[in-house]
Amino acid sequence: GNPPAPGHARLTGNIRHREILCASIRYAVDVGGQLVQVDAPHQAGDALLAPDAPIILDLAADKARFLSR
């Protein structure tokens, strides 16, 4: 595939969980053994990603929020 755009990071993983939150979907994505929370916009009729589905995330570095516990 194409490389990520400048200023973006690419992560690959698998969907582990999804939660519908009105106008968005919250996915838990396993990236190298760490769970990453991803919120995506959602409208009625949009396809949902299934648990265990592979996913590629392209993240804009200036928009991502990284939190530790």
Side-chain angles (χ1 to χ4, degrees):
N2 297 329
H8 286 68
R10 179 164 290 164
L11 304 174
T12 59
N14 292 81
I15 303 293
R16 291 294 174 235
H17 175 78
R18 68 178 183 215
E19 180 180 0
I20 299 172
L21 306 170
C22 296
S24 65
I25 302 290
R26 178 166 291 160
Y27 291 102
V29 180
D30 182 337
V31 176
Q34 298 293 314
L35 284 182
V36 175
Q37 179 177 298
V38 178
D39 291 341
H42 176 73
Q43 293 183 349
D46 287 351
L48 299 175
L49 298 172
D52 296 322
I55 188 168
I56 298 171
L57 304 171
D58 282 341
L59 306 172
D62 63 340
K63 303 262 190 262
R65 301 290 177 256
F66 296 94
L67 306 172
S68 63
R69 291 183 187 195

